[in-house]
Amino acid sequence: LTANEGLSSRGMALHGAGFIVTPEQAKALGLGTVPGLDRHIRPYRNGKDLMATPRGVMVIDLFGLDAEDVRRRFPAVYQHVLETVKPARHAQFQKSPTRDAQEYLDAWWTHGKPREQLRPALAGLPRYIATVETAKHRVFQFLDAAILPDNKLVAIASDDAFHLGVLSSRVHVTWAMRTGGWLGVGNDSVYVKSRCFDPFPFPDCSDALKAKIRAVADELHAHRKARQAAHPRLTLTQMYNVLDKLRAGEALDADNERIKAEGLVLILKELHDRIDALVLDACGWGDHSTEAQVLERLVKLNADRAAEEKAGKVRWLRPDYQIPRFGSEAERAHIAEAARQAKSTDGIKPKQGVLDFDDDLREMLPAAERAKPKYPTGNELAETAAVMSVLMSAGEPISIPQIAKRFSQGKAIDKRVSSTVLALARLGHLTSPDGETFSLRRQ
């Protein structure tokens, strides 16, 4: 479904264990003392971190920088990656001299799969939703925006607890268990984003019902975090193992009784039951639908939504982010007009989902009315996200001067834009048909 486009992706594939460092190593590399390094050494989480015991590790993330930038600005980091990552990349190329291996070797200081299309979707969010790709229990949770997700996580670029609630409900989990895969000794479920998330038809319900789902989803997230904070050994896997036993009416042994008490699992069950009932209500199906009925209705709803989208009606999940990148010209013009009208109303802030002129949707207004956004000079991640946003919305290859003209500084930032574009091109994230115009390389 177009409505879900551009919001979900697997996390970073490092292709180099040397990128992972302890907080102590990060401090020795300059974190906390070298200006700007906090944007390039970040907390890092994989599946075990989320469902079992967190390792507390960090990851070096040099996306958007070329090797010379890293060596000049962060020499200790450069030496660390030169020593721990580049030799492994070289060995990989020698073992398997494929095109991918060559690309990894050419850009040895950055992650193998840095997920350049996920990054702008996450930019500006205080948190996002994640689930472990392969797991016994299909659990969704919020992660802080500072955390970089591992390749074995599926990240969903939304900070809306309504989306968390829908994804956590049995409506979506039933769908995901049937459309995804199965893997491993325990035959664990695999969340395949192209089959589980992208085609899933989110319910379109009243604002009042969305608010109720948000409230319970936020309470669910807070409950789990609070129990784990109070009992550091307590894992989500343990809590959901006990929840499954309670639902099945199985007797609990002493260890499971401890987990039930520490995790307050009866409250966990009640919160999930409330989310299930609310989401079924949002779908208009009642709270006694069987699994087969839920699946049948979801398939029909997916077909109905696809027909709507073909006719031009898209129920965007994040219209402010998605419409400038994937929407029709009519949708772009409509939301820009809504923003203009909201801006002209003194003392009234635009509602969520209606864009302010501080957003990059200013580009959708006629040239005479356009207030161009400011290029975020001095913040490499923000500069990269800004350039990629322009490239994604352009729809065709454009030149560096054309990109610079999209911002208020115009020609004054040609060199900054050129540095970012050429760095992305060297890393293989951009293609150029003529050496002068550029577009995003599709994953």
Side-chain angles (χ1 to χ4, degrees):
L1 294 176
T2 303
N4 302 8
E5 188 170 354
L7 297 185
S8 178
S9 172
R10 291 170 68 181
M12 314 301 150
L14 303 187
H15 291 271
F19 288 115
I20 301 175
V21 295
T22 65
E24 293 75 21
Q25 288 174 313
K27 185 177 180 180
L29 292 173
L31 185 62
T33 57
V34 177
L37 189 54
D38 58 313
R39 296 192 293 270
H40 299 288
I41 299 184
R42 303 168 56 185
Y44 185 60
R45 299 291 183 268
N46 66 10
K48 289 184 178 180
D49 292 326
L50 298 194
M51 297 303 294
T53 303
R55 298 167 295 167
V57 298
M58 308 189 79
V59 67
I60 296 170
D61 178 24
L62 302 173
F63 179 75
L65 303 180
D66 59 30
E68 289 75 16
D69 289 333
V70 180
R71 186 177 62 244
R72 184 181 68 256
R73 295 182 56 202
F74 313 120
V77 173
Y78 181 89
Q79 176 162 301
H80 174 84
V81 178
L82 180 67
E83 182 178 17
T84 62
V85 175
K86 189 175 183 180
R89 293 275 180 96
H90 183 75
Q92 178 187 3
F93 178 72
Q94 295 285 26
K95 182 178 180 180
S96 177
T98 63
R99 178 179 176 180
D100 283 349
Q102 181 64 61
E103 289 179 355
Y104 299 154
L105 182 58
D106 290 344
W108 54 267
W109 64 94
T110 194
H111 302 163
K113 298 290 184 183
R115 308 303 181 198
E116 61 270 19
Q117 294 186 32
L118 173 64
R119 290 172 183 266
L122 295 178
L125 295 180
R127 61 185 184 179
Y128 62 93
I129 300 168
T131 189
V132 181
E133 184 183 47
T134 303
K136 179 180 180 181
H137 305 288
R138 185 50 50 209
V139 176
F140 295 83
Q141 58 188 288
F142 279 127
L143 296 184
D144 187 271
I147 295 172
L148 205 67
D150 175 78
N151 186 52
K152 295 303 182 181
L153 300 185
V154 176
I156 297 162
S158 172
D159 64 345
D160 191 342
F162 169 70
H163 295 148
L164 177 67
V166 173
L167 293 169
S168 300
S169 73
R170 77 178 181 92
V171 170
H172 181 71
V173 172
T174 296
W175 166 275
M177 290 294 191
R178 187 61 63 91
T179 60
W182 299 90
L183 184 69
V185 176
N187 204 23
D188 292 337
S189 70
V190 180
Y191 195 82
V192 183
K193 81 100 182 174
S194 61
R195 298 177 61 184
C196 299
F197 180 83
D198 291 349
F200 179 74
F202 279 75
D204 192 1
C205 58
S206 68
D207 289 343
L209 191 47
K210 285 182 178 180
K212 290 181 180 179
I213 293 171
R214 285 190 185 99
V216 182
D218 271 328
E219 186 178 350
L220 170 67
H221 178 68
H223 174 79
R224 294 183 303 207
K225 292 301 181 186
R227 301 325 301 161
Q228 290 187 288
H231 303 279
R233 292 190 307 155
L234 184 66
T235 71
L236 286 180
T237 296
Q238 291 173 333
M239 294 170 68
Y240 279 89
N241 281 342
V242 171
L243 178 59
D244 280 356
K245 290 179 182 296
L246 290 174
R247 291 193 185 282
E250 297 179 15
L252 302 183
D253 59 20
D255 192 45
N256 286 325
E257 286 288 357
R258 173 188 60 79
I259 294 168
K260 185 181 78 171
E262 291 180 353
L264 299 180
V265 178
L266 291 178
I267 295 178
L268 179 69
K269 178 180 181 299
E270 184 176 291
L271 292 171
H272 271 289
D273 289 345
R274 288 173 62 190
I275 287 174
D276 290 345
L278 286 169
V279 173
L280 283 166
D281 190 16
C283 294
W285 300 339
D287 60 359
H288 298 294
S289 299
T290 65
E291 178 178 312
Q293 288 172 327
V294 167
L295 289 169
E296 182 178 359
R297 290 164 178 169
L298 284 172
V299 169
K300 183 180 184 304
L301 184 57
N302 169 273
D304 291 344
R305 294 284 177 81
E308 282 185 351
E309 292 184 350
K310 190 174 182 180
K313 181 179 180 180
V314 179
R315 301 173 191 254
W316 300 101
L317 297 186
R318 277 183 62 194
D320 56 340
Y321 173 77
Q322 293 172 292
I323 288 178
R325 294 158 177 83
F326 314 115
S328 65
E329 289 185 12
E331 287 174 310
R332 297 178 188 184
H334 174 77
I335 202 167
E337 176 62 21
R340 186 160 65 92
Q341 291 180 4
K343 188 74 172 182
S344 66
T345 305
D346 292 339
I348 299 178
K349 251 186 125 177
K351 295 179 181 178
Q352 184 177 8
V354 178
L355 299 183
D356 191 282
F357 279 2
D358 290 337
D359 240 349
D360 61 359
L361 277 197
R362 306 171 221 201
E363 291 300 321
M364 301 305 135
L365 291 174
E369 304 177 41
R370 188 177 302 153
K372 295 181 180 180
K374 185 177 180 180
Y375 189 71
T377 303
N379 183 331
E380 290 89 351
L381 287 176
E383 289 186 50
T384 300
V387 168
M388 291 173 64
S389 177
V390 171
L391 290 166
M392 290 178 75
S393 63
E396 60 183 6
I398 59 175
S399 67
I400 289 171
Q402 286 174 320
I403 296 173
K405 286 180 181 179
R406 300 289 187 98
F407 300 95
S408 59
Q409 300 98 315
K411 288 185 177 181
I413 57 167
D414 272 0
K415 289 185 178 180
R416 298 291 308 184
V417 172
S418 176
S419 176
T420 301
V421 168
L422 295 178
L424 288 169
R426 283 194 296 272
L427 293 172
H429 305 315
L430 306 183
T431 60
S432 177
D434 52 16
E436 295 184 358
T437 58
F438 299 85
S439 61
L440 283 176
R441 185 188 299 277
R442 297 299 176 186
Q443 285 184 312

